[in-house]
Every structure is written in C-alpha cells, then in structure tokens.
Amino acid sequence: MVGASSGSDHNLIHRMAVDDPIPWYRKPNLRTMYLLLFPCVIGIEMTSGFDSQIINAAQLLPAWKAYFGNPTGAYNGILASALPLGSVIGLPFIPIVNDTFGRRWCIMFGSMIMIIGTIIQGFAFNGPMYILARGIIGFGLPYAIVAGSCLIGELGYPKERPILTSLFNACYFIGAIVAAGCTFGTQQINNDWSWRIPSLLQMAPSLLQVAFVFFLPESPRYLMSKDRFEEAEAVLIKYHAEGNPDSEFVKAEIAEIRTTLEIELEHSKRSWMDLVATPGMRRRVIIGSLLGLFTQLSGNVVISYFLGDVLKLIGYTDPSFQAKYNLGNQCWSLICGVSAALVVMRFRRRTMYLTGIISILAVYVAWTACTAIFIDTKSDVAAKMSLFWIYAYSPAYNLCFNALTYTYLIEIFPYANRARGISIFQFWGKAAQFFGTNVNPIGKSLFRPI
C-alpha cells in the first residue's frame, strides 16, 4: 500500500506541475534560483568542454608541441587521457561525500580540487607535471558533476526539471567555445603563454561554483534524509510555492518525498551492494554502465580531442583554418545541444535515443567513406563533404547522448542510490574516454596513408 501511495503521489505532483499556468519566469523566487543554478551547478559541465578544447586546440599550437617535445603515440595519448584517469580514481568516494555532507559541499570540494589542478597545469614545467595536474583536475570533476546533476533534479520544479538536467550537459559546449576562442586568440603569442593562458582559464567555471554555490538552497531530499524536515519544507515553500505555506502542491511534494525516502531507506543499506541487490537495481546499473560507454565510444572523442589530426587527414593543414573550423563547430554544437534540451519533453526517451544512435551510425559511415575517397583520389569534393559530415555529427549526438543522459539517469535511479548510480555512469564514461584518448593517437602514429 505504501508503494502504491508513493506512485499516486508522484503522478499527482506531475499533473499539478503540468497544469500550473504560471511560467517560471513570472515566479520571482524560482526565477532567482534558476539564475543561480546556471553559474554554480548547470555550468559545471563547462569544465569538461573547456578541457576537451584545451587539448584539441593546444595540439595546434607550435609552442605547446615544442614545449612537450612534439608528443605522438602513447605520450600524446596520456597527455589527453590523464583527466579521465583521475576521474576513475576519484569516483568510488563520491557517494560518501555527496550523501554525508550534502550536494553543495560535494560541489565545493570538487571545485577546489579542480582549481588546484588548473594552477599546477598552467605552470607545469614538464610533461609529468602537466599529466599530474590534469589527473588532479579529473579527480575533482566528477564530484561536482555527480552532486550538481543530483541537485538540479532535486531542486528544479517538476515542470522544468527534464529541461534543466538536459541543459546541464549542453553547457559543455559553452566551455568548449570559450576554450577554442581563447586558444585561437593566443595563437598570436609566440611563446609558452599561448597555451598557459588557456590552461589557467580552465579554472573559471570552478571559481564560479565556489563563489555562488552556497547562495543556492540544499536539496530538500537530502535535508529530509537527515531528518531536517523544517529546512526542507522551507526550501520547497520558498521556491516551489513562492512563499505560500498553505500550498497544496508543496504538501503533496513533502508527502511524496517522505514516503519515498521511508521506502528506499528501509530497504537500503546505503552501500555499493545495493546496486546489485535486486533485479531492478541490476538493470539500472547495466543501463547506466552502457550509457557511460556509449557516450564516449560513439566517435565524439575523435572530434573533441583530435580534430586537428582529422582535418590534416583530408588536406586541411593550416592551423588558422583548423582553429576557425573548430570554433565554428563548437558554436554549432551549442545550438544543437540547447535545441535538443528544449524538446526533451516532447518525445519518448527511447525514441530520441534510437533516432540519435541511427543518425550517428549514418553520419560516421558517410564521413568515413568521404575521407577514404579523399585519401585515394585527393578529391576536393570528398574533403568538403567530410567537413559537412563532421558538422552533421553534432545534432545526431546531441539528440540522444547529450540531451538525455542526466535527465534519464535521475529518472531511473532512486534517491538512496542516485549518487552511486551516476557514479557508475561516470566510471564507465571516463574509462571509455581514457581508452579513446589513448588509442586514437597510437592508431594515428601507426597509420600511413598510401
């Protein structure tokens, strides 16, 4: 009976939120919270985007290549993959910090670690120091990502929640655009500061999180899990009812959260073993693991980290053209990411996933064919078509793996195991990213066009 009550409460809350005629921008408290969510939570993924372009664009800078001894093969791979390696090392401890100290402190901890790593990266005096710095950044990043995605899902008004969690991943491209633009500008500097300046600027998103995160309220679900019911009720009344203590919507939310937590915590030991304790949880773990793999093994690593090498393969060797093309691609990807996030409520999850995956396959087949034709015939048309297919990849990828990732994970994992579930996704995602960023440079060093 309790489980049925929880389900009916959830359906009631969803119906009440959808039927609410007042848009979020006409609710002062909710509007203020959403504006704060951007710099200190939604913007967390800007660090990931910034990092991908720091490595991608740095490989186009003569000063960076000269300073690190013109890295190729495995050495080039570890320079890029040190960040996901650091993430994999840090992931097992994230649920402890996230569920013990709260979402905000977990974001703060991860952001401080990233700031330290960025400073070391910017002032690195050799390859090992640069690799260590990127590992430190990687260690801190998933703390902020896991806590931030949880906080968005637990603070957002149900009507806008899927859009907010989808925008979380789309912010990756804001960081990528800033990094690509910054590195394009520093190309004119004929010394080491051409890559040190962008490296130091990578701390900008983390500085925003440190500065603003405690202006946000804590997650009401976290507060209730710690028996801080009055604080949780105050948060919901202020932001979901605009200060109305008699709101029926807030009363329904409190009843749903309390009932759900009682059920989940009663049957949960709050340990990693909970993830394999029941058939339902095992299925969730499989879905989260495969999503982590698919988001990083769908060809995106090639574009994000090694676009310069791809462009050279089809005859575009001018660093200025490569930088401009890269910057344009990131701007186009932001448009695609935000557009996909805004339509996430209109389509079923499986429909979007299948459409995006089939589109990715079609794009990659066409792109590979055009590249092969250019290598054989040096056809200018084939080269230009390859440029087109690289741009066509973005809407296909964003439709599924960008827009839906955190929205879907938050929907399928219950509160008691949400941090562990997203950590599982991050583990497989970062492991796949580590693999991809290592094998691509090795493959390139072995490949010689005929």
Side-chain angles (χ1 to χ4, degrees), residues 291-308:
L291 273 179
L293 290 172
F294 295 160
T295 54
Q296 296 298 330
L297 294 180
S298 297
N300 53 310
V301 170
V302 175
I303 298 175
S304 296
Y305 286 88
F306 306 107
L307 183 59

Side-chain angles (χ1 to χ4, degrees), residues 36-342:
L36 281 172
L37 274 174
F38 178 78
C40 54
V41 179
I42 296 179
I44 288 171
E45 275 288 0
M46 288 191 291
T47 300
S48 297
F50 206 109
D51 180 78
S52 72
Q53 290 310 301
I54 283 293
I55 291 297
N56 197 5
Q59 294 178 73
L60 308 177
L61 297 174
W64 185 88
K65 290 188 284 190
Y67 194 86
F68 293 107
N70 294 302
T72 59
Y75 180 38
N76 192 23
I78 194 63
L79 286 171
S81 64
L83 187 142
L85 178 61
S87 297
V88 170
I89 294 171
L91 281 167
F93 312 104
I94 293 174
I96 299 173
V97 178
N98 197 37
D99 293 338
T100 302
F101 301 102
R103 303 341 190 184
R104 296 181 303 174
W105 275 110
C106 194
I107 292 172
M108 175 66 78
F109 175 76
S111 299
M112 291 299 297
I113 295 293
M114 285 188 282
I115 290 171
I116 293 169
T118 303
I119 292 172
I120 298 172
Q121 176 181 256
F123 292 102
F125 52 77
N126 58 31
M129 185 174 177
Y130 189 81
I131 293 168
L132 174 64
R134 290 180 52 71
I136 294 172
I137 297 171
F139 184 90
L141 180 60
Y143 284 85
I145 289 177
V146 172
S149 57
C150 289
L151 190 59
I152 293 170
E154 292 160 8
L155 277 181
Y157 192 68
K159 190 175 182 179
E160 294 90 31
R161 189 175 294 153
I163 296 175
L164 291 172
T165 49
S166 297
L167 286 172
F168 179 72
N169 240 9
C171 283
Y172 172 99
F173 298 110
I174 297 177
I177 290 169
V178 173
C182 176
T183 312
F184 177 68
T186 59
Q187 274 186 331
Q188 312 305 318
I189 302 175
N190 295 319
N191 56 48
D192 294 340
W193 286 104
S194 64
W195 62 268
R196 292 189 188 275
I197 290 173
S199 295
L200 288 169
L201 286 175
Q202 190 170 348
M203 74 172 75
S206 298
L207 288 174
L208 287 174
Q209 290 140 33
V210 168
F212 290 103
V213 71
F214 284 107
F215 287 97
L216 275 175
E218 183 55 89
S219 159
R221 287 183 182 267
Y222 167 78
L223 293 172
M224 283 196 181
S225 72
K226 299 298 181 183
D227 296 327
R228 295 159 63 179
F229 296 105
E230 292 182 0
E231 294 177 59
E233 185 178 13
V235 170
L236 292 172
I237 288 173
K238 180 176 180 179
Y239 294 104
H240 287 191
E242 293 299 309
N244 178 13
D246 298 320
S247 167
E248 292 299 323
F249 180 79
V250 168
K251 291 178 181 177
E253 274 194 303
I254 292 172
E256 186 268 335
I257 293 172
R258 184 172 291 184
T259 302
T260 302
L261 285 176
E262 287 176 356
I263 296 171
E264 292 177 0
L265 298 179
E266 179 182 349
H267 296 91
S268 171
K269 299 177 182 178
R270 304 296 291 272
S271 73
W272 286 100
M273 293 306 297
D274 289 340
L275 296 178
V276 294
T278 65
M281 286 306 300
R282 289 193 290 272
R283 186 175 181 182
R284 291 182 178 97
V285 169
I286 292 172
I287 292 172
S289 301
L290 291 177
L291 273 179
L293 290 172
F294 295 160
T295 54
Q296 296 298 330
L297 294 180
S298 297
N300 53 310
V301 170
V302 175
I303 298 175
S304 296
Y305 286 88
F306 306 107
L307 183 59
D309 294 330
V310 170
L311 294 176
K312 288 178 184 176
L313 196 61
I314 53 175
Y316 294 98
T317 57
D318 178 28
S320 179
F321 172 83
Q322 292 178 352
K324 291 176 183 177
Y325 182 83
N326 180 41
L327 180 58
N329 188 41
Q330 300 311 319
C331 293
W332 167 239
S333 295
L334 176 62
I335 294 171
C336 295
V338 172
S339 300
L342 295 178

